[in-house]
């Protein structure tokens, strides 16, 4: 029987397929390409088990108790449009209870669209197909030693289907640089005799383990690259007549760093939320207290322990007065109900798939400037590409180089999005998908000699 999470993900996948069909009709895409865009490269799903050694609890309990947990690891690859055929797929590895096969398919498609949307020139984009995967688990319930055990088993299962020139992973919800370090280390152990550039199997690693400078903050900084492009564009000046009063939902890697950088970019943060609660301050200024808020967000109490702002529910926060809303947490947050009540005129999508399809007509009717996820949060995917290049070339980038390259790729994607939206008289979300699918279609036609 299908659970509610999986049913929601199936609906999301169906909606994505309909969007792809709509874009293909607009562009007059060859039917063979249209079919490929809705197909996946042998989705990989395998069960595994991990036996954890845990200290017993309560009087009379054994000092150490062994408990075996059963999991499934999922890896999905979407479309590789590159004619050379040897370029890898790439995308995140997620440890979160939201992981299902349909959701990973949605996210793998989104990764393909991100890779093919951004880039400083038409011929210079991220040369990966999209991929995504993970394990349905709540990592907060596991100790670090248990997360290491889990990761080693994941690598063991995925090892036959991944590789630096096949499919490489990146951090996602529930994973971080320590887990990416462990992923690389165990992958290198399993493949020690194969002369593989193992440093390129995972991005988001620590700098001590061949990581790339600027990768940790890349998604948040990429969002700001894109935001600054639109703030400086004459066609969107009506949305930016003053410093945007901003609400940020999600205090993880993306939302947390966005809050941290908000002050330097002239954003007045009036509200924030994490899994424990939500804060609102009408006059703003929360960006001035970013360090305090983020310290609380990483504690057991979360920002619910913050006393210098009004406490409210997430639903109430999403309806509060502001100019810009930044969803940087889970999927499906902006429902039609939320869209009908929200006062923000700018929606900057920091999370993957934060907006339901049913909300889109309401956002258009209310003239909300929606900067879509495949553009807004593509900074992480972009810098993951540079980290992969480091690994296969055996060289290290400087932070200044990474920041300049990241901005060039994101601004290129923003320009392409605006040009497509103008050409086809549509919104930015549709414009971004048109720009991406048009590129993919041209590549696939050439690759398969269908021209």
């Amino acid at each position: 029987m299908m659970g509610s999470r999986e049913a929601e993900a199936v609906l999301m996948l169906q909606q994505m397929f309909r969007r792809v069909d709509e874009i293909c009709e607009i562009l007059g895409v060859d039917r063979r390409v249209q079919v490929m865009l809705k197909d996946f490269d042998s989705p990989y799903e395998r069960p595994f088990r991990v036996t954890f050694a845990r200290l017993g609890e309560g009087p009379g309990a054994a000092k150490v108790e062994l408990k075996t947990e059963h999991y499934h690891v999922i890896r999905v690859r979407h479309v590789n449009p590159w004619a050379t055929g040897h370029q890898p797929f790439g995308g995140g590895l997620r440890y979160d209870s939201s992981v299902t096969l349909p959701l990973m398919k949605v996210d793998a498609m989104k990764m393909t669209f991100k890779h093919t949307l951004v880039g400083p020139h038409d011929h210079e984009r991220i040369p990966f197909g999209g991929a995504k995967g993970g394990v349905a688990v709540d990592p907060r319930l596991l100790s670090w030693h248990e997360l290491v055990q889990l990761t080693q088993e994941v690598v063991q299962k995925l090892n036959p289907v991944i590789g630096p020139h096949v499919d490489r992973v990146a951090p996602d919800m529930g994973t971080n640089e320590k887990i990416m370090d462990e992923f690389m280390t165990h992958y290198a152990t399993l493949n020690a005799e194969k002369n593989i550039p193992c440093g390129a199997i995972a991005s988001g690693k620590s700098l001590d383990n061949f990581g790339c400078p600027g990768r940790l903050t890349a998604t948040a900084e990429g969002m700001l690259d894109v935001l600054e492009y639109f703030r400086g564009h004459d066609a969107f000046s009506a949305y930016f007549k003053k410093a945007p009063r901003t609400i940020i939902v999600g205090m993880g890697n993306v939302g947390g760093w966005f809050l941290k950088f908000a002050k330097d970019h002239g954003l007045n943060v009036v509200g924030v939320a994490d899994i424990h609660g939500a804060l609102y301050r009408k006059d703003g200024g929360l960006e001035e207290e970013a360090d305090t808020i983020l310290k609380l967000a990483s504690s057991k109490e979360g920002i619910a322990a913050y006393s210098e702002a009004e406490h409210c529910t997430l639903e109430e926060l999403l309806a509060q007065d502001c100019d810009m809303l930044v969803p940087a947490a889970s999927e499906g947050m902006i429902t039609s109900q939320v869209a009908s009540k929200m006062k923000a005129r700018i929606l900057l999508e920091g999370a993957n798939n934060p907006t339901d399809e049913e909300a889109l007509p309401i956002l258009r009717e209310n003239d909300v400037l929606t900067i879509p996820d495949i553009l807004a949060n593509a900074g992480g995917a972009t810098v993951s590409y540079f980290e992969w290049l480091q690994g296969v070339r055996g060289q290290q980038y400087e932070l200044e180089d990474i920041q300049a390259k990241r901005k060039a790729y994101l601004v290129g994607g923003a320009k392409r999005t605006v040009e497509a939206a103008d050409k086809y008289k549509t919104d930015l979300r549709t414009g971004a998908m048109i720009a991406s699918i048009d590129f993919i279609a041209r590549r696939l036609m050439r690759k398969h000699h269908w021209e």
Side-chain angles (χ1 to χ4, degrees):
M1 184 175 177
M2 189 181 298
S4 60
R5 284 184 183 273
E6 188 168 7
E8 290 172 3
V10 167
L11 177 59
M12 197 178 298
L13 182 60
Q14 292 169 344
Q15 291 171 339
M16 278 294 297
F17 284 169
R18 285 197 292 271
R19 290 286 287 169
V20 167
D21 286 340
E22 290 169 7
I23 302 300
C24 288
E25 291 301 317
I26 290 171
L27 291 170
V29 166
D30 187 286
R31 289 288 296 174
R32 291 167 293 188
V33 171
Q34 190 170 347
V35 169
M36 288 190 72
L37 284 170
K38 295 186 290 182
D39 197 12
F40 298 88
D41 181 20
S42 302
Y44 180 92
E45 187 174 9
R46 293 290 184 276
F48 68 98
R49 62 185 182 184
V50 185
T51 299
F52 298 123
R54 292 170 175 164
L55 294 177
E57 297 180 2
K63 288 185 178 180
V64 176
E65 296 177 350
L66 299 180
K67 185 172 182 180
T68 299
E69 300 284 0
H70 294 264
Y71 302 102
H72 278 78
V73 60
I74 296 171
R75 192 67 181 170
V76 176
R77 297 201 291 255
H78 181 224
V79 171
N80 183 336
W82 302 93
T84 53
H86 77 277
Q87 298 287 2
F89 293 79
L93 180 74
R94 177 180 296 196
Y95 289 173
D96 189 79
S97 17
S98 67
V99 171
T100 62
L101 182 57
L103 182 60
M104 296 300 96
K105 287 183 175 181
V106 172
D107 284 353
M109 290 181 76
K110 286 291 185 80
M111 286 304 300
T112 302
F113 298 148
K114 288 179 193 179
H115 290 153
T116 51
L117 175 63
V118 300
H121 307 288
D122 190 61
H123 64 278
E124 190 177 0
R125 309 199 195 188
I126 299 175
F128 297 148
K132 204 76 166 189
V135 178
V137 60
D138 186 344
R140 296 169 299 175
L141 302 181
L142 301 182
S143 68
W144 168 243
H145 179 69
E146 291 168 344
L147 282 171
V148 169
Q149 283 183 265
L150 178 72
T151 301
Q152 290 176 347
E153 290 295 333
V154 167
V155 176
Q156 188 89 27
K157 289 297 181 186
L158 289 179
N159 190 48
V161 297
I162 60 173
H165 294 289
V166 180
D167 180 6
R168 54 101 198 134
V169 304
D172 202 284
M173 289 177 65
T175 56
N176 54 28
E177 62 179 22
K178 292 175 68 178
I179 290 173
M180 292 298 105
D181 286 352
E182 182 59 38
F183 195 102
M184 178 198 70
T185 299
H186 198 59
Y187 178 82
T189 300
L190 295 177
N191 298 280
E193 306 300 322
K194 298 179 182 177
N195 196 29
I196 293 173
C198 295
I201 190 59
S203 63
K205 306 181 300 297
S206 65
L207 290 178
D208 290 341
N209 283 287
F210 314 108
C212 184
R215 176 59 184 86
L216 183 64
T217 59
T219 304
E221 289 188 291
M223 290 164 64
L224 290 161
D225 291 335
V226 171
L227 180 63
E228 292 306 317
Y229 172 81
F230 285 101
R231 288 176 84 175
H233 197 297
D234 290 343
F236 305 99
S237 59
Y239 293 94
F240 299 103
K241 290 181 178 178
K242 58 180 180 178
R245 299 173 69 251
T246 303
I247 289 175
I248 308 168
V249 180
M251 289 288 102
N253 177 266
V254 178
W257 282 109
F258 192 88
L259 174 62
K260 186 88 169 174
F261 297 139
K263 180 180 177 181
D264 292 340
H265 288 262
L267 304 181
N268 181 17
V269 180
V270 298
V272 296
D274 69 359
I275 58 172
H276 298 287
L279 306 172
Y280 182 74
R281 186 191 286 165
K282 183 178 180 180
D283 295 330
L286 293 178
E287 73 282 357
E288 299 280 355
E289 297 151 43
D291 289 340
T292 301
I293 292 171
L294 292 174
K295 185 175 180 180
L296 287 172
S298 64
S299 69
K300 290 183 179 180
E301 297 83 2
I303 62 173
Y306 188 73
S307 60
E308 301 300 318
E310 174 188 344
H311 289 257
C312 58
T313 66
L314 177 58
E315 182 181 2
E316 291 168 337
L317 180 65
L318 292 172
Q320 292 285 7
D321 184 37
C322 69
D323 301 306
M324 182 167 72
L325 179 60
V326 182
S330 57
E331 289 90 357
M333 181 187 307
I334 311 300
T335 62
S336 57
Q337 291 84 0
V338 169
S340 64
K341 294 177 182 178
M342 63 182 264
K343 297 180 176 65
R345 294 197 64 217
I346 306 162
L347 183 63
L348 179 65
E349 294 187 333
N352 286 315
N353 316 301
T355 307
D356 280 350
E357 286 287 318
E358 290 80 4
L360 298 181
I362 299 171
L363 296 174
R364 293 189 196 105
E365 184 179 343
N366 294 338
D367 196 27
V368 175
L369 176 66
T370 302
I371 305 174
D373 54 355
I374 64 170
L375 171 63
N377 73 12
T382 300
V383 180
S384 283
Y385 167 48
F386 302 139
E387 187 168 341
W388 176 82
L389 284 175
Q390 281 191 168
V392 295
R393 293 175 176 174
Q395 67 182 48
Q396 188 83 15
Y397 284 108
E398 296 294 331
L399 177 59
E400 294 77 11
D401 293 336
I402 290 297
Q403 290 174 328
K405 287 177 179 290
R406 183 201 67 231
K407 184 172 182 177
Y409 272 71
L410 270 292
V411 168
K415 289 179 178 178
R416 233 168 257 125
T417 297
V418 172
E419 288 168 1
D422 285 346
K423 180 178 179 180
Y424 292 94
K425 308 301 180 188
T426 188
D427 58 89
L428 294 177
R429 180 186 300 278
T430 306
M433 287 192 66
I434 286 174
S436 178
I437 289 176
D438 178 60
F439 180 82
I440 294 170
R442 287 186 279 118
R443 287 278 175 170
L444 288 177
M445 292 294 287
R446 190 183 313 166
K447 179 177 182 178
H448 296 286
H449 307 292
W450 293 339
E451 294 177 309

